[in-house]
Amino acid sequence: MSSEPVTSRPTLSTARVIEAAVALADREGLDGLSMRELAQRLGVVPMALYKHVANKDDLLDGMVDTVWAEVEAPSSDLGWREAMRRRSISLRSALLRHRWAVGMMESRMRPGPANLSRHDAMMGCLRRSGFSFRTTVHVTSVLDAYVYGFALQQKTLPFGTPEESGETAARKLEATPPELAAMYPHLLEVVAELARAGYDYDAEFLTGLELVLDGIEQLRPGWATADRAPRPPIGGHG
Amino acid sequence: MSSEPVTSRPTLSTARVIEAAVALADREGLDGLSMRELAQRLGVVPMALYKHVANKDDLLDGMVDTVWAEVEAPSSDLGWREAMRRRSISLRSALLRHRWAVGMMESRMRPGPANLSRHDAMMGCLRRSGFSFRTTVHVTSVLDAYVYGFALQQKTLPFGTPEESGETAARKLEATPPELAAMYPHLLEVVAELARAGYDYDAEFLTGLELVLDGIEQLRPGWATADRAPRPPIGGHG
DNA sequence: ACCTGAACACCGTTCAAGT
DNA sequence: ACCTGAACACCGTTCAAGT
């Protein structure tokens, strides 16, 4: 009696709605994601979606947690530096696959389970590696700022590949009227160099990441001697 | 004959439209900024705006350059580190005053004159301070990522002042069901510490900024010896 | 020539009518 | 009880009609 539906259109579910919404946003951007368009792609009437998500904001909550689920949770087995490096690279990769998610990863009012578990793993890794509470916050703050900020820049800048960036820069350079070139000599000089040598986002990200990790290494209290959380310094943390 | 209009409503101009749009976005956010609402606040019919801006995107271009005009251009007189510190703080302040602008500062396809002049000053300061072309790009990339990323986090996170953040965290903590507390022990531990000691965005930003500046100091070729651009190392930059 | 109201093609969501 | 079409209050922008 209860024969499986063999059609290519499985019945709607919250998971399927979220999955389709992510796919739509990946392809068309956040502006292209409307409840009406999403419904059409799923072959249902717009109001049918509201059986599976409370509203668009609820849908976005689910989409963001889908992205979090793709982020590698740091494990303290690797040592904090390798763990933080891998998590940062993994977070950036997820944000490259889902550019619409940049700026939404920390903003949801009701964080989902994947979000919570990844943050818990981050805190656990740092605390177990001997960072104090306060320093754990510093590390999280500066690393997240760097990764989110870099992803934001890349999402936002007008070129993709190294070659493309060189070409874009070169074209812009040629199109620059002489009076502008005279007003912004240093900017033009650097853009010309980029046009010559190309601009590789991945390499740039890794360079900056090591720079930030070096800074964190210095921040770690007792980094040169102890391997576990030392007693707090007399003056507090300031 | 041509008597000055003494009314409180001066005639419309591009500058006045942009100014009003910035004020509206500051107060109501980007979502609250519609051409219709903006027109109403200016006491004109919606279509009247299109005499002064080509479309909404053109309006946003103008708004972003208004924010750039508030950013202090770095001067190499101060030394690169102090100059970069001041520019970063100034950029963040502008983004705090105009939160809607986070994520739009580098994304405009037709950058305005204030944008170009600030970027030119940045490049000029770094080049004059002895950074190579390539290292100048690294410095710009990592500093901008940090400032934009931090501003994005702050815009996005649900609390404002240190006290408020403590209270918010404490309230969330109390509202946490025991089964969740057991699943995310490290996260809860850190949040509890934040609830106790408070979370000061300004202090956090400055801490991370010095960390990044320390990293940049290491990046600078010839930083220990020369004060002007050294000849490039034999192996290139790697 | 200038200005602008109505219209077009959208949006998220409510709500009442239909099965 | 469930589903859904029409409706509501928006949106940016076009375009033709009015002065």
Side-chain angles (χ1 to χ4, degrees), chain A:
Chain A
M1 293 303 148
S2 64
S3 66
E4 290 281 296
V6 205
T7 72
S8 60
R9 191 163 304 298
T11 59
L12 228 52
S13 67
T14 302
R16 245 182 67 73
V17 169
I18 290 172
E19 180 193 3
V22 168
L24 177 55
D26 287 349
R27 202 154 348 114
E28 309 286 345
L30 263 195
D31 286 346
L33 173 68
S34 76
M35 300 298 276
R36 292 164 126 104
E37 178 66 22
L38 177 59
Q40 196 175 345
R41 304 230 172 179
L42 284 164
V44 300
V45 86
M47 285 312 298
L49 300 176
Y50 287 81
K51 284 272 105 99
H52 302 99
V53 293
N55 48 41
K56 193 174 186 180
D57 214 58
D58 186 41
L59 173 62
L60 289 171
D61 281 341
M63 294 169 68
V64 167
D65 215 51
T66 285
V67 180
W68 272 116
E70 295 180 15
V71 176
E72 192 181 319
S75 148
S76 47
D77 298 349
L78 301 165
W80 71 267
R81 183 158 177 146
E82 177 64 11
M84 289 303 111
R85 182 187 289 118
R86 288 176 68 147
R87 182 200 103 123
S88 299
I89 292 171
S90 170
L91 176 54
R92 171 165 176 266
S93 301
L95 294 175
L96 282 180
R97 287 191 295 276
H98 310 291
R99 298 186 172 219
W100 51 267
V102 181
M104 305 181 54
M105 297 299 281
E106 309 284 345
S107 74
R108 302 283 90 197
M109 286 301 170
R110 261 178 264 59
N115 179 335
L116 290 172
S117 85
R118 299 312 182 276
H119 279 94
D120 188 68
M122 178 97 170
M123 303 298 139
C125 173
L126 290 169
R127 290 288 293 138
R128 265 196 299 273
S129 302
F131 289 92
S132 70
F133 283 113
R134 183 60 38 168
T135 313
T136 294
V137 172
H138 292 331
V139 173
T140 306
S141 170
V142 72
L143 263 183
D144 281 359
Y146 176 66
V147 175
Y148 290 129
F150 196 96
L152 183 65
Q153 293 263 70
Q154 183 166 0
K155 169 195 177 185
T156 241
L157 283 172
F159 40 77
T161 66
E163 300 73 33
E164 199 188 333
S165 77
E167 283 167 31
T168 305
R171 229 180 308 110
K172 283 219 168 191
L173 214 58
E174 284 165 24
T176 306
E179 68 271 21
L180 272 189
M183 287 178 76
Y184 312 113
H186 306 104
L187 182 55
L188 266 284
E189 209 179 25
V190 172
V191 170
E193 176 64 13
L194 284 185
R196 199 189 56 74
Y199 185 64
D200 185 335
Y201 275 118
D202 292 354
E204 194 66 50
F205 176 74
L206 294 174
T207 299
L209 179 58
E210 294 308 318
L211 186 156
V212 173
L213 289 171
D214 285 345
I216 290 171
E217 195 120 31
Q218 240 91 335
L219 198 68
R220 188 164 166 236
W223 63 279
T225 54
D227 197 32
R228 286 220 134 239
R231 49 170 39 88
I234 291 172
H237 48 68

